[in-house]
Amino acid sequence: LAVKYAPVAAVLAAAVLLRHVRFPRRALVLAGALVVAGVAYLVAHRLWYGGWTVYATGDHFAETGEFSVVGTKVDLLGRSRRLIGLLVDRDFGIAAWSPVWFLAPFGLGLLAARRWPGRWVVLAAIAAGWLNATFVALTMHGYWVPGRQIVIVLPLAVLGLSMAADRARIWLVTVGALGALGALNWVWLAAESSTGRRTLVFDFASTAAWPYRAIRPILPDGLQPNDASVPLLAVFGVAAIVTGTIGWRVGRNHPGPRGRLPGATMS
C-alpha cells in the first residue's frame, strides 16, 4: 500500500512489458492485467481511506490535502543534497548504520559494466527509488528509521556488493567485515529497544552502538548543518563518483574470476 514505492513498481512493469513486446498478444494481456490492478488499487483506496493514498486519513494533511505529503513548497535544489546524503548523512544515511554501503558506488559501477541483459532493469529500478526518495519525499528525518524511502531497492544494490565480494578474498573479507559492523549496530539497537532504553520510533540515533558512534562524527549533518556540512557532503559526493567510475572501469577491463553474477549458473 506504500504509494512511495510506485515509481519502482512502474519501472518493473515497463521492463516486463518491454520484454514481451515481440509477442503482442501476451503484452496486451499483461498490460490489461496491470491496468486492472491499478484501477483496483485506486478504488480500494477510495473505499478504505477516502482518498487516492493512505495519506488521505492523516490529520496533518487535512487542510492541505493528501498530496501535500511531498511538501507545499518543494525546494528541488535543496533536496538534491539527498542524492549523496541518503548514503552518507550521519542521521538518515544508510552507511552510518552499515558501513558496507560505502562500497555501494564501486559495486554499482561493477554492476553497470557487467555484460548481462538484466543490469539495466536493476539500475533503472535503483535510480527510480533513489530519485523518488531524493526529490519527492517530504523529509528523510522524522520519527522513523533511516533508509525507509529506499529500502525497496537496497536488495538490488546488494548485487553490486556481491560482485565486489566475488572478485577476490580480500574483497570478500572487506564486505563481510563491514557488513558485520552493520549487523552489530542493529543487534545492539534491538537489544536497547527491547529493554526500554531506546525506542525505534524517534531516538534510535542516540544508540550506544560503538560502530555507529565511531563513524558518526566524520559524516555530514543534514539535520543540523554547520559550515562543514556542505563541503563534507561534496567530498563524499566526489568520492562516490570516483569510486563508481573505478568500479565501472575495473568491471570492463577485468570481468572477474568467472565473468558472471555471483551465484549464477553457467548454461
Side-chain angles (χ1 to χ4, degrees):
L1 295 181
V3 69
K4 59 178 169 285
Y5 302 138
V8 175
V11 168
L12 298 180
V16 170
L17 289 175
L18 288 175
R19 184 175 182 180
H20 295 88
V21 70
R22 291 178 297 176
F23 308 97
R25 182 175 299 178
R26 189 181 303 175
L28 185 61
V29 171
L30 286 171
L34 291 172
V35 170
V36 171
V39 171
Y41 182 93
L42 294 174
V43 170
H45 276 67
R46 295 295 296 183
L47 294 175
W48 293 338
Y49 307 113
W52 301 115
T53 70
V54 295
Y55 300 106
T57 62
D59 293 340
H60 183 72
F61 312 111
E63 294 183 2
T64 55
E66 61 189 296
F67 291 104
S68 65
V69 68
V70 304
T72 55
K73 297 181 180 179
V74 179
D75 180 5
L76 294 180
L77 181 60
R79 292 185 182 187
S80 66
R81 289 177 292 182
R82 300 178 192 170
L83 284 170
I84 186 63
L86 285 165
L87 184 65
V88 301
D89 188 89
R90 65 175 56 177
D91 287 316
F92 63 82
I94 55 176
W97 293 92
S98 187
V100 71
W101 290 113
F102 283 121
L103 302 178
F106 179 79
L108 291 178
L110 289 175
L111 184 61
R114 189 63 60 92
R115 294 178 175 86
W116 61 288
R119 71 186 185 277
W120 299 118
V121 176
V122 171
L123 291 172
I126 294 174
W130 206 272
L131 292 175
N132 186 60
T134 297
F135 295 109
V136 179
L138 178 62
T139 176
M140 292 295 99
H141 300 289
Y143 300 126
W144 300 106
V145 295
R148 72 188 189 279
Q149 300 285 351
I150 54 175
V151 64
I152 194 173
V153 296
L154 291 184
L156 299 177
V158 168
L159 287 173
L161 297 178
S162 67
M163 286 183 177
D166 194 50
R167 299 196 64 80
R169 185 176 298 275
I170 184 62
W171 279 102
L172 176 62
V173 172
T174 301
V175 171
L178 293 178
L181 290 177
L184 177 59
N185 278 330
W186 289 113
V187 170
W188 196 309
L189 181 60
E192 289 178 326
S193 64
S194 66
T195 58
R197 295 181 58 197
R198 302 281 184 270
T199 60
L200 296 179
V201 178
F202 60 85
D203 64 352
F204 52 86
S206 61
T207 178
W210 66 262
Y212 173 69
R213 306 308 303 179
I215 199 172
R216 193 174 191 273
I218 68 172
L219 299 177
D221 189 350
L223 182 59
Q224 296 177 329
N226 51 43
D227 293 339
S229 297
V230 173
L232 195 56
L233 196 65
V235 168
F236 276 107
V238 171
I241 294 173
V242 170
T243 54
T245 303
I246 292 174
W248 185 84
R249 291 179 63 88
V250 169
R252 280 291 185 184
N253 298 329
H254 307 283
R258 287 175 291 280
R260 58 182 175 84
L261 284 176
T265 57
M266 299 296 286
S267 59

